[in-house]
PDB file of all heavy atoms in Angstrom:
ATOM      1  N   LEU V 105     -30.527  16.819  -6.033  1.00 88.00           N
ATOM      2  CA  LEU V 105     -29.159  17.355  -5.765  1.00 88.00           C
ATOM      3  C   LEU V 105     -28.096  16.233  -5.524  1.00 88.00           C
ATOM      4  O   LEU V 105     -26.970  16.405  -5.888  1.00 88.00           O
ATOM      5  CB  LEU V 105     -29.257  18.227  -4.521  1.00 88.00           C
ATOM      6  CG  LEU V 105     -29.849  19.558  -4.554  1.00 88.00           C
ATOM      7  CD1 LEU V 105     -30.121  20.078  -3.196  1.00 88.00           C
ATOM      8  CD2 LEU V 105     -28.982  20.479  -5.430  1.00 88.00           C
ATOM      9  N   HIS V 106     -28.553  15.107  -4.941  1.00 88.00           N
ATOM     10  CA  HIS V 106     -27.612  14.100  -4.710  1.00 88.00           C
ATOM     11  C   HIS V 106     -27.656  12.928  -5.597  1.00 88.00           C
ATOM     12  O   HIS V 106     -27.009  11.888  -5.405  1.00 88.00           O
ATOM     13  CB  HIS V 106     -27.837  13.566  -3.253  1.00 88.00           C
ATOM     14  CG  HIS V 106     -27.766  14.610  -2.198  1.00 88.00           C
ATOM     15  ND1 HIS V 106     -26.561  15.102  -1.786  1.00 88.00           N
ATOM     16  CD2 HIS V 106     -28.699  15.388  -1.599  1.00 88.00           C
ATOM     17  CE1 HIS V 106     -26.656  16.128  -0.901  1.00 88.00           C
ATOM     18  NE2 HIS V 106     -27.978  16.233  -0.804  1.00 88.00           N
ATOM     19  N   LYS V 107     -28.356  13.027  -6.683  1.00 86.00           N
ATOM     20  CA  LYS V 107     -28.535  11.973  -7.644  1.00 86.00           C
ATOM     21  C   LYS V 107     -27.182  11.772  -8.310  1.00 86.00           C
ATOM     22  O   LYS V 107     -26.510  12.718  -8.826  1.00 86.00           O
ATOM     23  CB  LYS V 107     -29.529  12.327  -8.670  1.00 86.00           C
ATOM     24  CG  LYS V 107     -30.153  11.077  -9.329  1.00 86.00           C
ATOM     25  CD  LYS V 107     -31.427  11.531 -10.077  1.00 86.00           C
ATOM     26  CE  LYS V 107     -31.827  10.555 -11.040  1.00 86.00           C
ATOM     27  NZ  LYS V 107     -33.024  10.856 -11.827  1.00 86.00           N
ATOM     28  N   ARG V 108     -26.737  10.506  -8.377  1.00 81.00           N
ATOM     29  CA  ARG V 108     -25.436  10.207  -9.028  1.00 81.00           C
ATOM     30  C   ARG V 108     -25.483  10.192 -10.486  1.00 81.00           C
ATOM     31  O   ARG V 108     -26.579   9.752 -11.068  1.00 81.00           O
ATOM     32  CB  ARG V 108     -24.883   8.918  -8.525  1.00 81.00           C
ATOM     33  CG  ARG V 108     -24.816   8.648  -7.040  1.00 81.00           C
ATOM     34  CD  ARG V 108     -23.664   9.487  -6.458  1.00 81.00           C
ATOM     35  NE  ARG V 108     -23.828   9.590  -5.055  1.00 81.00           N
ATOM     36  CZ  ARG V 108     -23.118   8.795  -4.137  1.00 81.00           C
ATOM     37  NH1 ARG V 108     -22.328   7.946  -4.649  1.00 81.00           N
ATOM     38  NH2 ARG V 108     -23.294   8.967  -2.896  1.00 81.00           N
ATOM     39  N   ALA V 109     -24.425  10.562 -11.154  1.00 75.00           N
ATOM     40  CA  ALA V 109     -24.400  10.426 -12.622  1.00 75.00           C
ATOM     41  C   ALA V 109     -24.362   8.960 -12.950  1.00 75.00           C
ATOM     42  O   ALA V 109     -23.812   8.135 -12.225  1.00 75.00           O
ATOM     43  CB  ALA V 109     -23.136  11.164 -13.181  1.00 75.00           C
ATOM     44  N   LYS V 110     -24.924   8.587 -14.019  1.00 75.00           N
ATOM     45  CA  LYS V 110     -24.786   7.254 -14.558  1.00 75.00           C
ATOM     46  C   LYS V 110     -23.407   6.947 -14.823  1.00 75.00           C
ATOM     47  O   LYS V 110     -22.608   7.745 -15.367  1.00 75.00           O
ATOM     48  CB  LYS V 110     -25.599   7.190 -15.841  1.00 75.00           C
ATOM     49  CG  LYS V 110     -26.821   6.197 -15.711  1.00 75.00           C
ATOM     50  CD  LYS V 110     -27.291   5.797 -17.172  1.00 75.00           C
ATOM     51  CE  LYS V 110     -28.504   5.120 -17.093  1.00 75.00           C
ATOM     52  NZ  LYS V 110     -29.208   5.122 -18.401  1.00 75.00           N
ATOM     53  N   VAL V 111     -22.988   5.672 -14.471  1.00 73.00           N
ATOM     54  CA  VAL V 111     -21.584   5.355 -14.718  1.00 73.00           C
ATOM     55  C   VAL V 111     -21.457   5.070 -16.197  1.00 73.00           C
ATOM     56  O   VAL V 111     -22.184   4.237 -16.751  1.00 73.00           O
ATOM     57  CB  VAL V 111     -21.199   4.055 -13.908  1.00 73.00           C
ATOM     58  CG1 VAL V 111     -19.765   3.686 -14.237  1.00 73.00           C
ATOM     59  CG2 VAL V 111     -21.315   4.299 -12.398  1.00 73.00           C
ATOM     60  N   LYS V 112     -20.493   5.913 -16.763  1.00 74.00           N
ATOM     61  CA  LYS V 112     -20.242   5.713 -18.239  1.00 74.00           C
ATOM     62  C   LYS V 112     -19.304   4.549 -18.464  1.00 74.00           C
ATOM     63  O   LYS V 112     -18.410   4.218 -17.678  1.00 74.00           O
ATOM     64  CB  LYS V 112     -19.714   6.940 -18.812  1.00 74.00           C
ATOM     65  CG  LYS V 112     -20.802   7.977 -19.179  1.00 74.00           C
ATOM     66  CD  LYS V 112     -20.217   9.239 -19.785  1.00 74.00           C
ATOM     67  CE  LYS V 112     -19.598  10.136 -18.650  1.00 74.00           C
ATOM     68  NZ  LYS V 112     -18.937  11.331 -19.238  1.00 74.00           N
ATOM     69  N   GLY V 113     -19.487   3.847 -19.549  1.00 75.00           N
ATOM     70  CA  GLY V 113     -18.581   2.855 -19.960  1.00 75.00           C
ATOM     71  C   GLY V 113     -18.457   1.595 -19.012  1.00 75.00           C
ATOM     72  O   GLY V 113     -17.412   1.117 -18.682  1.00 75.00           O
ATOM     73  N   ARG V 114     -19.559   1.191 -18.503  1.00 80.00           N
ATOM     74  CA  ARG V 114     -19.651  -0.028 -17.611  1.00 80.00           C
ATOM     75  C   ARG V 114     -19.027  -1.257 -18.317  1.00 80.00           C
ATOM     76  O   ARG V 114     -18.281  -2.037 -17.708  1.00 80.00           O
ATOM     77  CB  ARG V 114     -21.094  -0.399 -17.261  1.00 80.00           C
ATOM     78  CG  ARG V 114     -21.643   0.426 -16.158  1.00 80.00           C
ATOM     79  CD  ARG V 114     -23.053   0.085 -15.968  1.00 80.00           C
ATOM     80  NE  ARG V 114     -23.771   1.205 -15.315  1.00 80.00           N
ATOM     81  CZ  ARG V 114     -24.469   1.105 -14.191  1.00 80.00           C
ATOM     82  NH1 ARG V 114     -24.570  -0.126 -13.663  1.00 80.00           N
ATOM     83  NH2 ARG V 114     -25.013   2.105 -13.680  1.00 80.00           N
ATOM     84  N   LEU V 115     -19.259  -1.322 -19.657  1.00 86.00           N
ATOM     85  CA  LEU V 115     -18.822  -2.553 -20.319  1.00 86.00           C
ATOM     86  C   LEU V 115     -17.333  -2.595 -20.393  1.00 86.00           C
ATOM     87  O   LEU V 115     -16.665  -3.535 -20.163  1.00 86.00           O
ATOM     88  CB  LEU V 115     -19.419  -2.517 -21.739  1.00 86.00           C
ATOM     89  CG  LEU V 115     -19.058  -3.807 -22.564  1.00 86.00           C
ATOM     90  CD1 LEU V 115     -19.735  -5.030 -21.970  1.00 86.00           C
ATOM     91  CD2 LEU V 115     -19.444  -3.554 -24.004  1.00 86.00           C
ATOM     92  N   ARG V 116     -16.835  -1.365 -20.599  1.00 84.00           N
ATOM     93  CA  ARG V 116     -15.362  -1.156 -20.585  1.00 84.00           C
ATOM     94  C   ARG V 116     -14.660  -1.548 -19.287  1.00 84.00           C
ATOM     95  O   ARG V 116     -13.692  -2.311 -19.271  1.00 84.00           O
ATOM     96  CB  ARG V 116     -15.052   0.321 -20.966  1.00 84.00           C
ATOM     97  CG  ARG V 116     -13.567   0.543 -21.362  1.00 84.00           C
ATOM     98  CD  ARG V 116     -13.718   1.688 -22.257  1.00 84.00           C
ATOM     99  NE  ARG V 116     -12.454   2.342 -22.377  1.00 84.00           N
ATOM    100  CZ  ARG V 116     -12.272   3.706 -22.201  1.00 84.00           C
ATOM    101  NH1 ARG V 116     -13.304   4.460 -21.882  1.00 84.00           N
ATOM    102  NH2 ARG V 116     -11.115   4.165 -22.418  1.00 84.00           N
ATOM    103  N   ILE V 117     -15.302  -1.105 -18.203  1.00 83.00           N
ATOM    104  CA  ILE V 117     -14.738  -1.375 -16.898  1.00 83.00           C
ATOM    105  C   ILE V 117     -14.877  -2.933 -16.728  1.00 83.00           C
ATOM    106  O   ILE V 117     -13.915  -3.592 -16.210  1.00 83.00           O
ATOM    107  CB  ILE V 117     -15.558  -0.612 -15.879  1.00 83.00           C
ATOM    108  CG1 ILE V 117     -15.177   0.858 -15.945  1.00 83.00           C
ATOM    109  CG2 ILE V 117     -15.145  -1.162 -14.440  1.00 83.00           C
ATOM    110  CD1 ILE V 117     -16.117   1.798 -15.266  1.00 83.00           C
ATOM    111  N   ALA V 118     -16.035  -3.482 -17.044  1.00 87.00           N
ATOM    112  CA  ALA V 118     -16.191  -4.953 -16.873  1.00 87.00           C
ATOM    113  C   ALA V 118     -15.161  -5.732 -17.734  1.00 87.00           C
ATOM    114  O   ALA V 118     -14.500  -6.662 -17.120  1.00 87.00           O
ATOM    115  CB  ALA V 118     -17.585  -5.307 -17.230  1.00 87.00           C
ATOM    116  N   THR V 119     -14.880  -5.216 -18.868  1.00 88.00           N
ATOM    117  CA  THR V 119     -13.946  -5.862 -19.759  1.00 88.00           C
ATOM    118  C   THR V 119     -12.581  -5.832 -19.117  1.00 88.00           C
ATOM    119  O   THR V 119     -11.801  -6.984 -19.003  1.00 88.00           O
ATOM    120  CB  THR V 119     -13.828  -5.232 -21.118  1.00 88.00           C
ATOM    121  OG1 THR V 119     -15.156  -5.077 -21.646  1.00 88.00           O
ATOM    122  CG2 THR V 119     -13.060  -6.054 -22.142  1.00 88.00           C
ATOM    123  N   TRP V 120     -12.171  -4.661 -18.639  1.00 86.00           N
ATOM    124  CA  TRP V 120     -10.800  -4.560 -18.040  1.00 86.00           C
ATOM    125  C   TRP V 120     -10.709  -5.326 -16.717  1.00 86.00           C
ATOM    126  O   TRP V 120      -9.697  -5.897 -16.442  1.00 86.00           O
ATOM    127  CB  TRP V 120     -10.393  -3.160 -17.913  1.00 86.00           C
ATOM    128  CG  TRP V 120      -9.909  -2.530 -19.161  1.00 86.00           C
ATOM    129  CD1 TRP V 120     -10.516  -1.752 -20.001  1.00 86.00           C
ATOM    130  CD2 TRP V 120      -8.605  -2.736 -19.744  1.00 86.00           C
ATOM    131  NE1 TRP V 120      -9.744  -1.442 -21.080  1.00 86.00           N
ATOM    132  CE2 TRP V 120      -8.515  -1.911 -20.944  1.00 86.00           C
ATOM    133  CE3 TRP V 120      -7.480  -3.429 -19.382  1.00 86.00           C
ATOM    134  CZ2 TRP V 120      -7.405  -1.969 -21.838  1.00 86.00           C
ATOM    135  CZ3 TRP V 120      -6.371  -3.427 -20.192  1.00 86.00           C
ATOM    136  CH2 TRP V 120      -6.376  -2.691 -21.425  1.00 86.00           C
ATOM    137  N   ALA V 121     -11.799  -5.278 -15.950  1.00 86.00           N
ATOM    138  CA  ALA V 121     -11.787  -6.030 -14.732  1.00 86.00           C
ATOM    139  C   ALA V 121     -11.590  -7.565 -15.028  1.00 86.00           C
ATOM    140  O   ALA V 121     -10.806  -8.146 -14.338  1.00 86.00           O
ATOM    141  CB  ALA V 121     -13.097  -5.824 -14.017  1.00 86.00           C
ATOM    142  N   PHE V 122     -12.319  -7.955 -16.018  1.00 89.00           N
ATOM    143  CA  PHE V 122     -12.194  -9.366 -16.447  1.00 89.00           C
ATOM    144  C   PHE V 122     -10.729  -9.681 -16.870  1.00 89.00           C
ATOM    145  O   PHE V 122     -10.119 -10.649 -16.595  1.00 89.00           O
ATOM    146  CB  PHE V 122     -13.126  -9.720 -17.506  1.00 89.00           C
ATOM    147  CG  PHE V 122     -13.055 -11.128 -18.048  1.00 89.00           C
ATOM    148  CD1 PHE V 122     -13.583 -12.161 -17.317  1.00 89.00           C
ATOM    149  CD2 PHE V 122     -12.403 -11.393 -19.260  1.00 89.00           C
ATOM    150  CE1 PHE V 122     -13.424 -13.483 -17.793  1.00 89.00           C
ATOM    151  CE2 PHE V 122     -12.170 -12.598 -19.655  1.00 89.00           C
ATOM    152  CZ  PHE V 122     -12.727 -13.738 -18.970  1.00 89.00           C
ATOM    153  N   GLY V 123     -10.236  -8.680 -17.666  1.00 87.00           N
ATOM    154  CA  GLY V 123      -8.863  -8.777 -18.160  1.00 87.00           C
ATOM    155  C   GLY V 123      -7.860  -8.873 -17.104  1.00 87.00           C
ATOM    156  O   GLY V 123      -6.929  -9.657 -17.053  1.00 87.00           O
ATOM    157  N   ALA V 124      -8.070  -8.054 -15.972  1.00 85.00           N
ATOM    158  CA  ALA V 124      -7.095  -7.964 -14.942  1.00 85.00           C
ATOM    159  C   ALA V 124      -7.140  -9.250 -14.112  1.00 85.00           C
ATOM    160  O   ALA V 124      -6.197  -9.858 -13.860  1.00 85.00           O
ATOM    161  CB  ALA V 124      -7.432  -6.781 -14.034  1.00 85.00           C
ATOM    162  N   VAL V 125      -8.342  -9.687 -13.837  1.00 86.00           N
ATOM    163  CA  VAL V 125      -8.452 -10.963 -13.053  1.00 86.00           C
ATOM    164  C   VAL V 125      -7.956 -12.089 -13.856  1.00 86.00           C
ATOM    165  O   VAL V 125      -7.178 -12.988 -13.400  1.00 86.00           O
ATOM    166  CB  VAL V 125      -9.933 -11.246 -12.662  1.00 86.00           C
ATOM    167  CG1 VAL V 125     -10.116 -12.613 -12.059  1.00 86.00           C
ATOM    168  CG2 VAL V 125     -10.370 -10.125 -11.712  1.00 86.00           C
ATOM    169  N   ALA V 126      -8.274 -12.120 -15.203  1.00 89.00           N
ATOM    170  CA  ALA V 126      -7.764 -13.245 -16.044  1.00 89.00           C
ATOM    171  C   ALA V 126      -6.282 -13.231 -16.233  1.00 89.00           C
ATOM    172  O   ALA V 126      -5.683 -14.339 -16.120  1.00 89.00           O
ATOM    173  CB  ALA V 126      -8.469 -13.106 -17.448  1.00 89.00           C
ATOM    174  N   SER V 127      -5.612 -12.049 -16.350  1.00 87.00           N
ATOM    175  CA  SER V 127      -4.206 -12.079 -16.509  1.00 87.00           C
ATOM    176  C   SER V 127      -3.551 -12.421 -15.257  1.00 87.00           C
ATOM    177  O   SER V 127      -2.518 -13.161 -15.264  1.00 87.00           O
ATOM    178  CB  SER V 127      -3.726 -10.774 -17.110  1.00 87.00           C
ATOM    179  OG  SER V 127      -3.828  -9.757 -16.179  1.00 87.00           O
ATOM    180  N   VAL V 128      -4.109 -11.955 -14.083  1.00 85.00           N
ATOM    181  CA  VAL V 128      -3.432 -12.356 -12.874  1.00 85.00           C
ATOM    182  C   VAL V 128      -3.635 -13.882 -12.589  1.00 85.00           C
ATOM    183  O   VAL V 128      -2.667 -14.615 -12.191  1.00 85.00           O
ATOM    184  CB  VAL V 128      -4.079 -11.584 -11.615  1.00 85.00           C
ATOM    185  CG1 VAL V 128      -3.681 -12.151 -10.317  1.00 85.00           C
ATOM    186  CG2 VAL V 128      -3.618 -10.117 -11.742  1.00 85.00           C
ATOM    187  N   ALA V 129      -4.732 -14.340 -12.903  1.00 86.00           N
ATOM    188  CA  ALA V 129      -5.039 -15.814 -12.704  1.00 86.00           C
ATOM    189  C   ALA V 129      -4.120 -16.607 -13.613  1.00 86.00           C
ATOM    190  O   ALA V 129      -3.527 -17.577 -13.252  1.00 86.00           O
ATOM    191  CB  ALA V 129      -6.563 -16.115 -12.996  1.00 86.00           C
ATOM    192  N   LEU V 130      -4.017 -16.195 -14.881  1.00 89.00           N
ATOM    193  CA  LEU V 130      -3.165 -16.838 -15.866  1.00 89.00           C
ATOM    194  C   LEU V 130      -1.708 -16.895 -15.422  1.00 89.00           C
ATOM    195  O   LEU V 130      -1.107 -17.917 -15.461  1.00 89.00           O
ATOM    196  CB  LEU V 130      -3.334 -16.194 -17.181  1.00 89.00           C
ATOM    197  CG  LEU V 130      -2.731 -16.867 -18.485  1.00 89.00           C
ATOM    198  CD1 LEU V 130      -3.587 -18.084 -18.745  1.00 89.00           C
ATOM    199  CD2 LEU V 130      -2.539 -15.926 -19.620  1.00 89.00           C
ATOM    200  N   ILE V 131      -1.273 -15.816 -14.916  1.00 87.00           N
ATOM    201  CA  ILE V 131       0.051 -15.657 -14.504  1.00 87.00           C
ATOM    202  C   ILE V 131       0.385 -16.560 -13.238  1.00 87.00           C
ATOM    203  O   ILE V 131       1.249 -17.321 -13.082  1.00 87.00           O
ATOM    204  CB  ILE V 131       0.548 -14.206 -14.277  1.00 87.00           C
ATOM    205  CG1 ILE V 131       0.678 -13.568 -15.683  1.00 87.00           C
ATOM    206  CG2 ILE V 131       1.823 -14.161 -13.482  1.00 87.00           C
ATOM    207  CD1 ILE V 131       0.687 -12.116 -15.651  1.00 87.00           C
ATOM    208  N   ILE V 132      -0.592 -16.395 -12.231  1.00 84.00           N
ATOM    209  CA  ILE V 132      -0.400 -17.136 -11.026  1.00 84.00           C
ATOM    210  C   ILE V 132      -0.632 -18.669 -11.147  1.00 84.00           C
ATOM    211  O   ILE V 132       0.049 -19.466 -10.566  1.00 84.00           O
ATOM    212  CB  ILE V 132      -1.221 -16.470  -9.863  1.00 84.00           C
ATOM    213  CG1 ILE V 132      -0.673 -15.173  -9.479  1.00 84.00           C
ATOM    214  CG2 ILE V 132      -1.330 -17.462  -8.592  1.00 84.00           C
ATOM    215  CD1 ILE V 132      -1.317 -14.590  -8.233  1.00 84.00           C
ATOM    216  N   LEU V 133      -1.686 -19.008 -11.952  1.00 86.00           N
ATOM    217  CA  LEU V 133      -2.084 -20.411 -11.942  1.00 86.00           C
ATOM    218  C   LEU V 133      -1.398 -21.170 -13.053  1.00 86.00           C
ATOM    219  O   LEU V 133      -1.401 -22.409 -13.042  1.00 86.00           O
ATOM    220  CB  LEU V 133      -3.642 -20.520 -12.074  1.00 86.00           C
ATOM    221  CG  LEU V 133      -4.398 -19.920 -10.927  1.00 86.00           C
ATOM    222  CD1 LEU V 133      -5.898 -19.982 -11.236  1.00 86.00           C
ATOM    223  CD2 LEU V 133      -4.079 -20.609  -9.568  1.00 86.00           C
ATOM    224  N   VAL V 134      -0.973 -20.452 -14.150  1.00 89.00           N
ATOM    225  CA  VAL V 134      -0.362 -21.156 -15.244  1.00 89.00           C
ATOM    226  C   VAL V 134       1.071 -20.812 -15.458  1.00 89.00           C
ATOM    227  O   VAL V 134       1.969 -21.710 -15.292  1.00 89.00           O
ATOM    228  CB  VAL V 134      -1.220 -20.895 -16.609  1.00 89.00           C
ATOM    229  CG1 VAL V 134      -0.580 -21.684 -17.703  1.00 89.00           C
ATOM    230  CG2 VAL V 134      -2.608 -21.261 -16.416  1.00 89.00           C
TER     231      VAL V 134
END
Side-chain angles (χ1 to χ4, degrees):
Chain V
L105 286 169
H106 300 283
K107 204 165 161 182
R108 305 287 167 97
K110 242 195 190 160
V111 177
K112 276 181 282 177
R114 279 175 204 236
L115 185 68
R116 191 151 161 230
I117 290 161
T119 312
W120 279 102
F122 177 77
V125 172
S127 68
V128 167
L130 192 70
I131 286 161
I132 289 187
L133 300 175
V134 181

